[in-house]
Structures are given as structure tokens and as C-alpha cells.
Amino acid sequence: MKIISGQVCFHILLCSLILGGCAGSVTVKNQVQQDVGTVNNIEATADTLSVVHFEDQRVGFEIHEPSGEIDPGTQAKFNEAINALRSDHFSVAIELLLDVIETYPNYANPHINIALAYRQLAMDQEVQDHLLTALDLIPNHPVASNEYALLKKSQGDFQGARDIFEQALVDYPEFIPLHRNLGILCDVYFNDNSCAQEHFEYCQNLTGTNDEELSMWLTEIKLRSHE
């Protein structure tokens, strides 16, 4: 019935390895409005490894995980991998990220970035392996969960995808892509008007803007509900 737009299906992750001592437990910042055209524009907290998920190149969602002593060479290699990923040089990004992961296997964010690169090369098993590793490191990580649920949906496991979305939303109820994609799943694949309406409305409330696509979907759902 509806076409899922590219920005829902493809999420760009930018990560920044920050040198320093160990930080505290994993923290999540709410969505923030800021210009994020380059890595240098990303607001990062000292002594943390940061992931920023971009929905429209202006709304960021930061995940911070504990950071140990990261050597400058790995930092440079990681930054190079992110630039390669952003430039659609996926094989180059994978090669660099594999080196980063070999050196620092217990960071979730490099696993997520390499999963994105593998996805663009249609290497689903590698995508799954790295997303599951990220989720073992940070259970219900919202970006990893969103990507893993989308993978499950692409494989026809709609209930599995729904379970992942719903579980992640328990811990990260303000992560918009989880609501949007769960709403689409409920609408298109489950014909669950109540679920779809709930999550589309949640998206509208979180964004605080008049999203024409969401408004159209909600209008369709309400019309169907009264048929």
C-alpha cells in the first residue's frame, strides 16, 4: 500500500572514537537538533565512543559506550572507515573496520557500521553476525535493534521483526525509527490498525512537526478503521 522511503530503510551511522580513560555506563542522549554535515560537527562527550544515527541529516541520536585507551592509529583508521562508508566505498570501509574490530572487539558501534557496509553488498549473514554481536555488547541498542529488525523483515520473518522493535522500545521509547518502522510493519504486514496508529502518532509527537507522509498514513488508517 505504501512505499517505504529510503531514509527509513537506510540509516547512516557516524562513529567517533575518542581517546581517553574509561567512561561510566552506557548513556543515551535524546534527539537533538544540530547541523551534522561532517564528523567534526558531531557533538561528542570526552572519553566515549559515540554513534550518531541520522534520520534527515539534522536530527541526531547519540549512543555513548565505555571507552578505554584507544590508540591514535586505530582512531585514524576508524575515521577513514567512516569516510569510506559515507562515500559508498563499502569494501574499503569493511577492510578498515575489520582491523578496528580485531583490535577492539568489545565496542558495539564498529560492529553496527560494518553491518551497514555489508548490507549494501547484500551479505546478509555478515550483517546478522555483526548486529548480533553489537546487541550482545549493548542489549536492545536502538540502532542495532532497528537494523536487525529490518533485516528480519526483509527475510520474511515479520513476527521476529515486530518482537525486536517492541523489545527495543521498552528501553528506548524516544527512538523515532523504531516507532516508524514498527508502524509500517503493523500496517502493511499485520493489518493491525491500532498498532500502526499508535506508533505513527508517537512519531508525530516526538518530532513535533507536521510530517506529511505520517499524516497521510494516519488518515488512511482512520478511514479504514471506520469502514
Side-chain angles (χ1 to χ4, degrees):
M1 183 193 71
K2 57 175 66 76
I3 298 174
I4 302 173
S5 65
Q7 70 177 28
V8 176
C9 294
F10 179 61
H11 303 299
I12 301 173
L13 294 179
L14 292 184
C15 304
S16 164
L17 286 170
I18 309 299
L19 299 177
C22 290
S25 60
V26 175
T27 61
V28 179
K29 284 189 176 181
N30 289 335
Q31 298 211 338
V32 293
Q33 296 290 339
Q34 58 183 339
D35 290 323
V36 288
T38 67
V39 174
N40 292 331
N41 288 337
I42 299 171
E43 178 185 355
T45 301
D47 301 336
T48 61
L49 174 66
S50 301
V51 153
V52 181
H53 165 93
F54 294 111
E55 179 69 9
D56 61 3
Q57 297 298 308
R58 289 189 65 82
V59 179
F61 193 90
E62 297 185 2
I63 308 295
H64 298 299
E65 59 183 312
S67 173
E69 292 291 337
I70 301 167
D71 66 89
T74 301
Q75 162 116 26
K77 187 173 294 186
F78 192 89
N79 292 342
E80 186 179 351
I82 297 310
N83 289 333
L85 184 58
R86 292 193 67 189
S87 302
D88 295 342
H89 296 135
F90 304 116
S91 295
V92 174
I94 288 168
E95 183 177 354
L96 291 164
L97 286 166
L98 284 173
D99 286 345
V100 173
I101 290 168
E102 183 178 2
T103 306
Y104 297 100
N106 294 323
Y107 288 91
N109 297 329
H111 287 284
I112 298 171
N113 280 297
I114 201 170
L116 290 176
Y118 277 126
R119 186 177 68 182
Q120 297 305 305
L121 300 179
M123 299 173 69
D124 284 359
Q125 187 59 56
E126 287 79 4
V127 174
Q128 177 171 294
D129 290 346
H130 284 282
L131 289 177
L132 287 176
T133 298
L135 289 168
D136 283 341
L137 293 167
I138 303 181
N140 293 332
H141 188 303
V143 179
S145 295
N146 188 62
E147 296 300 327
Y148 188 39
L150 290 174
L151 176 64
K152 286 289 189 182
K153 188 186 77 170
S154 73
Q155 296 171 338
D157 185 359
F158 305 128
Q159 185 59 54
R162 183 170 183 170
D163 291 343
I164 295 166
F165 283 134
E166 291 177 341
Q167 185 175 353
L169 280 169
V170 172
D171 289 340
Y172 301 97
E174 295 187 350
F175 192 59
I176 293 172
L178 290 171
H179 286 287
R180 190 179 190 105
N181 287 320
L182 177 55
I184 291 170
L185 187 74
C186 287
D187 187 6
V188 177
Y189 298 98
F190 286 94
N191 196 29
D192 187 338
N193 291 341
S194 177
C195 168
Q197 180 173 342
E198 174 189 353
H199 291 285
F200 289 155
E201 288 179 343
Y202 214 114
C203 283
Q204 282 193 326
N205 291 335
L206 287 173
T207 59
T209 60
N210 184 21
D211 185 313
E212 293 183 2
E213 192 172 44
L214 282 173
S215 297
M216 179 185 69
W217 293 349
L218 281 166
T219 299
E220 291 179 2
I221 290 169
K222 291 174 182 178
L223 287 173
R224 290 200 308 269
S225 298
H226 289 88
E227 287 179 354

